[in-house]
Amino acid sequence: MNHIRNYLIAFMGNVTFTYFIFAEGTLNKPLMFATLMLLLMMGMDIIKSRTTHSLN
């Protein structure tokens, strides 16, 4: 549940900041950018969790 909350906060932050960066008045580009960033973050977390090794 903690990961979902972090993903949601990051997604909302990305939408907010890219809305002000693109400044077109539409949500098309900010939503696309935020969705791609969300997929990138989730993919990196999945890959990192699969390749975690310990010496125990």
Side-chain angles (χ1 to χ4, degrees), residues 2 5 9 13 15 17 21-24 26-27 29 31 37 42 47 50-51 54:
N2 193 16
R5 186 184 68 221
I9 290 169
V15 169
F17 289 122
I21 290 171
F22 290 124
E24 294 180 354
T26 62
L27 286 175
K29 283 186 183 179
L31 282 177
M37 290 300 293
M42 290 175 72
I47 291 171
R50 285 186 181 176
T51 60
S54 66

Side-chain angles (χ1 to χ4, degrees), residues 6-22 26-43:
N6 291 340
Y7 291 144
L8 184 62
I9 290 169
F11 180 77
M12 290 171 24
N14 282 332
V15 169
T16 303
F17 289 122
T18 54
Y19 182 78
F20 292 119
I21 290 171
F22 290 124
T26 62
L27 286 175
N28 295 337
K29 283 186 183 179
L31 282 177
M32 276 195 322
F33 180 79
T35 303
L36 290 174
M37 290 300 293
L38 179 66
L39 290 173
L40 178 68
M41 287 188 312
M42 290 175 72

